[in-house]
Amino acid sequence: MADQVAGDEPGGGSVAGARVAGVTVLLIVVAVAFAGMGLFMFNMGRDMSAMTRAVSQMGIDVSGMAVDMDVMVGDMDLMADSMVEGQAGISVELARVRAGTEWMAGDMRRMNAEIDSITSSIRNMSGNVDGMDASVSRMTRATGAMSESMDRISLDMNRMTRPEGLMPMTPFR
């Protein structure tokens, strides 16, 4: 009875041992949880650092791309200016050819209409150089028409330098 009054029960050592074991297990679980959280935080910090480096590199790449696009815009402006100057030179030359061929025969009227069409196409092209693909496409078509006209001009000029070829009943063809 004295043991019961003092609070010492028989078999009380196993309860205290179980408490100590439970507290030990609880402390181990808490320590493992803290270690796991620490490892998680370490990995998350490492991943955030890598992501920050990637975003910084992306900013550098975008900045380089912006510089490259500025240079490209300057080059395209220069090319557009060169095209306008070239087209103005072509217009002047075609007008001179047209003025020189006005005295020729009636069959030259078709050639004059084609030169006017080419000049009009070139004027339209020089006013619409805002889209690079459209401009190059129109310029290619105008150049083809101009080439055909120049071929016809060349043939007609060769005929004019040999007037005997223009006369139908001459033996000197």
Side-chain angles (χ1 to χ4, degrees):
M1 181 121 219
D3 286 338
Q4 289 177 349
V5 172
D8 293 331
E9 295 180 11
S14 66
V15 171
R19 282 186 189 153
V20 170
V23 169
T24 304
V25 168
L26 180 64
L27 287 176
I28 289 173
V29 167
V30 168
V32 168
F34 276 117
M37 182 58 89
L39 185 60
F40 170 75
M41 293 299 283
F42 173 76
N43 284 334
M44 187 170 70
R46 193 181 61 201
D47 291 344
M48 292 295 282
S49 176
M51 195 173 2
T52 301
R53 281 193 306 270
V55 168
S56 295
Q57 183 62 44
M58 189 169 38
I60 291 168
D61 292 345
V62 167
S63 177
M65 211 166 40
V67 168
D68 290 345
M69 290 192 71
D70 284 343
V71 170
M72 188 171 65
V73 165
D75 291 346
M76 289 176 73
D77 284 343
L78 180 65
M79 187 167 47
D81 291 342
S82 296
M83 287 173 62
V84 168
E85 288 174 12
Q87 290 168 357
I90 290 172
S91 293
V92 168
E93 290 298 319
L94 289 176
R96 194 176 61 126
V97 167
R98 181 175 167 230
T101 57
E102 286 180 349
W103 60 272
M104 291 183 184
D107 62 338
M108 301 297 274
R109 287 183 188 150
R110 183 175 46 89
M111 183 179 70
N112 284 335
E114 289 173 359
I115 289 174
D116 286 339
S117 173
I118 290 172
T119 303
S120 175
S121 296
I122 290 173
R123 284 188 185 132
N124 287 337
M125 280 175 42
S126 66
N128 297 323
V129 182
D130 58 347
M132 203 58 195
D133 289 336
S135 176
V136 169
S137 175
R138 286 192 307 268
M139 196 169 71
T140 301
R141 286 192 305 269
T143 302
M146 186 179 72
S147 177
E148 291 175 14
S149 294
M150 289 302 171
D151 286 344
R152 284 189 217 106
I153 289 172
S154 175
L155 289 173
D156 290 340
M157 291 289 191
N158 284 337
R159 286 182 188 154
M160 288 299 170
T161 58
R162 293 184 318 138
E164 65 272 5
L166 295 175
M167 299 176 68
M169 297 297 280
T170 59
F172 303 111
R173 287 188 164 217

